[in-house]
Amino acid sequence: PQRGEKGGKRVFSQAIKGRGSPRLPSASRGSALAVLPAPAPFPARGALDPLGPLLRGLRRKMAAPADGSEEALAAALADVPDLARLLEVDPYLKPFALDFQRRYKRFNQTLNDIGENEGGIDKFSRGYESFGVHRCADGGLYCKEWAPGAEGVFLTGDFNDWNPFSYPYKKLDYGKWELYIPPKQNKSLLIPHGSKLKVVIRSKSGEILYRISPWAKYVAREDDNVIYDWIHWDPEHTYKFKHSRPKKPRSLRVYESHVGISSHEGKVASYKHFTCNVLPRIKDLGYNCIQLMAIMEHAYYASFGYQITSFFAASSRYGTPEELKELVDTAHSMGIMVLLDVVHSHASKNSEDGLNMFDGTDSCYFHSGPRGNHDLWDSRLFAYSSWEVLRFLLSNIRWWLEEYGFDGFRFDGVTSMLYHHHGMGQGFSGDYHEYFGLQVDEDALIYLMLANHLIHTLYPDSITVAEDVSGMPALCSPISQGGCGFDYRLAMAIPDKWIQLLKEFKDEDWNMGNIVYTLTNRRHLEKVIAYAESHDQALVGDKTLAFWLMDAEMYTNMSVLTPFTPVIDRGIQLHKMIRLITHALGGEGYLNFMGNEFGHPEWLDFPRKGNNESYHYARRQFHLTDDDLLRYKFLNDFDRDMNKLEERYGWLSAPQAYVSEKHEANKVIAFERADLLFVFNFHPSKSYTDYRVGTKVPGKFKIVLDSDAPEYGGHQRLDHNTDFFSEAFEHNGLPNSLLVYIPSRVALILHNVDLPN
């Protein structure tokens, strides 16, 4: 468990996260989760403790099953196929074996129920093939909706001059409604591509409501209209994918992206722009995966894509569905996977162009009453136990996989889904009892298990990532072990640690042990994606790492024609070091938010009334790194070479590093991973000659990456022709050691050339 993940000190503009109360940018994002002080650093250690150093004090409490029954434990092990493996890796989960048993049995029972009633999850997850509006082979139209609270359902639009009642649906069982419209005699299309449509609902109170189908594939806003229109998307020629999906990479390097802000111009950028201009950059930088934000349609641009109104519609503000397919296909041609930032944790409160109150009641798709509202996010919460909600959400997952070719998902707001308290007011101290019991929303947890099962069954090379702040055990363990089945979770404590250091501590007061603790405190065999900063850290009210480091001097002193100022020099050197140590030590995957690789200045702020609808901060200034006269190119090139070195040596897929040194006075951190020796000197002024560093295997070492190299804006204090020979001199618990020169604020990677490549 990652204690203190996501602090609550950032100030968020209300405009950033949707209508109503500000939606904080993580599952439990705000003052509800205060950053807890990390304990004193542990000494250097070998293999990672299964629970992480935080939980060592809890061991004595967790020796036997919760009810003291060995028979109950045996039954749990019999019911959950690979639970024994989970308990072997983490024996201190044994008291909660019955919880894993119950979860797994509920998951299995739901799968069986789907099989008995729907013909299996394969058929069940194809709801988009019947719900909504569909052209039949005979030229007619078949329409279907789920509106259990409606007294009548009708279809209207351009095709019938907006007569609200001329095409009534027939009521079926379980709140479903269907309509068949026979073909015209002249065989012309009943509803041509591009026609506007509405579902008309007559509520039980007699009110007439005009709604967009929850299954609408395309919605758009015309001119200055506030409300989105449902556009019938049925083009004569659809995009045909040309390239196969990439295989799951050995190491995952993720480029978090937002299409709309991907241009330096003050406007909403397009899918086409991203495909032609940004994808080549991502490829050149060495990232092998893109995480696309704000694709599912959201009426409010400044919500950053987290207040979804139409779940099956790709956002029309960037272009057409076919252009998004071309973007994904082009990425595949470059060997780049594409993940969708999927928001199934909540939905916008909009009713005229959203899911809310679709059938005139507050219980269609959502919990009724207070349970159906998220007070912080001012949004609606899904009723995950509802059969039709499961169909809707699982079909939504499959739609994005099948129709658009996405390779997996980053699930937003998982903490809010997992707990009835949604993480609000919870500190998550790391006590295992916080993750089991009545506070857990097992309906939501079972849905996540079903979603992961579906995704990995359809496409075994797919990747799923959980945005969870709580550190729930087994979230990233296989379902067969009783886990939730995610591939990765986000290491959300790491960026907050860097911001805390930059805001609250002098460089000479940085605690090396605390940095290492934050970077290594993760569950054994549950993979995490580390990052120094994501979109969360760039939002208005906060700043990018580069802006924290260099602030206003970025406007005046980034030219290579002017001498280094102390602020710019410090900023450029620490920016590289922070990102490299996060990359190398922090997880099994790495993530970067677009533009931050070259030290993008300022912050993100979408057009809104508070800033006079300005796009000035809603853009990425890639032209800065293309200018040879600006120092941004140094950071960009370092990021590229760091990724390409990882591709060569694969440290992200290697076992966790052995940290041999965390020297507080010298400000030096040294560790080995993937047969590479990493040395960091964070001291602001001291350089060390003949500094002894331990190594496991003897040999001759060469520098393979040096943050002080001139091409990275460094001071060229190291000779790359130097050979470093180890000697059989024990140091910091390692049998061999070597002497190196480490200048101040420099990171080095050395490779033992005597080892086979």
Side-chain angles (χ1 to χ4, degrees), residues 61-103:
K61 302 179 185 178
M62 300 182 173
D67 63 355
S69 167
E70 291 297 332
E71 291 80 5
L73 176 60
L77 291 169
D79 285 336
V80 185
D82 298 318
L83 179 59
R85 173 61 178 152
L86 179 66
L87 301 185
E88 178 188 355
V89 171
D90 186 353
Y92 308 100
L93 284 174
K94 186 186 287 187
F96 308 100
L98 302 188
D99 294 88
F100 289 111
Q101 177 192 34
R102 184 181 62 256
R103 294 172 182 180

Side-chain angles (χ1 to χ4, degrees), residues 612-740:
N612 295 318
E613 304 295 336
S614 171
Y615 283 86
H616 179 75
Y617 297 109
R619 60 195 181 116
R620 297 280 91 177
Q621 301 179 60
F622 287 110
H623 62 286
L624 295 175
T625 192
D626 295 333
D627 192 331
D628 275 341
L629 295 179
L630 295 178
R631 292 188 166 107
Y632 296 99
K633 65 180 181 180
F634 298 140
L635 301 179
N636 187 84
D637 291 351
F638 182 79
D639 196 78
R640 178 197 64 213
D641 292 350
M642 173 178 69
N643 279 326
K644 297 202 168 172
L645 192 68
E646 196 288 325
E647 174 68 22
R648 180 179 170 191
Y649 289 100
W651 61 69
L652 289 171
S653 59
Q656 185 165 339
Y658 178 85
V659 181
S660 63
E661 179 155 347
K662 299 170 287 186
H663 200 296
E664 297 302 339
N666 293 341
K667 301 302 175 194
V668 171
I669 296 172
F671 57 88
E672 288 185 296
R673 192 176 186 188
D675 294 327
L676 294 172
L677 176 58
F678 296 80
V679 187
F680 293 81
N681 178 8
F682 281 98
H683 202 287
S685 58
K686 288 185 180 178
S687 300
Y688 305 104
T689 55
D690 293 336
Y691 196 92
R692 187 169 294 279
V693 181
T695 179
K696 186 177 179 182
V697 180
K700 181 175 78 172
F701 289 77
K702 298 283 288 186
I703 295 172
V704 290
L705 189 66
D706 163 23
S707 69
D708 202 42
E711 60 266 31
Y712 308 137
H715 298 286
Q716 201 173 356
R717 288 169 286 182
L718 289 156
D719 182 359
H720 289 206
N721 293 317
T722 304
D723 295 330
F724 300 89
F725 293 92
S726 69
E727 53 186 322
F729 188 93
E730 190 273 338
H731 185 69
N732 285 340
L734 293 170
N736 305 284
S737 59
L738 58 150
L739 300 174
V740 296

Side-chain angles (χ1 to χ4, degrees), residues 115-136:
E116 290 176 12
N117 296 287
E118 299 281 351
I121 196 169
D122 180 69
K123 185 177 177 184
F124 187 62
S125 60
R126 295 176 183 270
Y128 52 82
E129 293 181 354
S130 57
F131 285 85
V133 174
H134 300 273
R135 176 155 49 99
C136 303

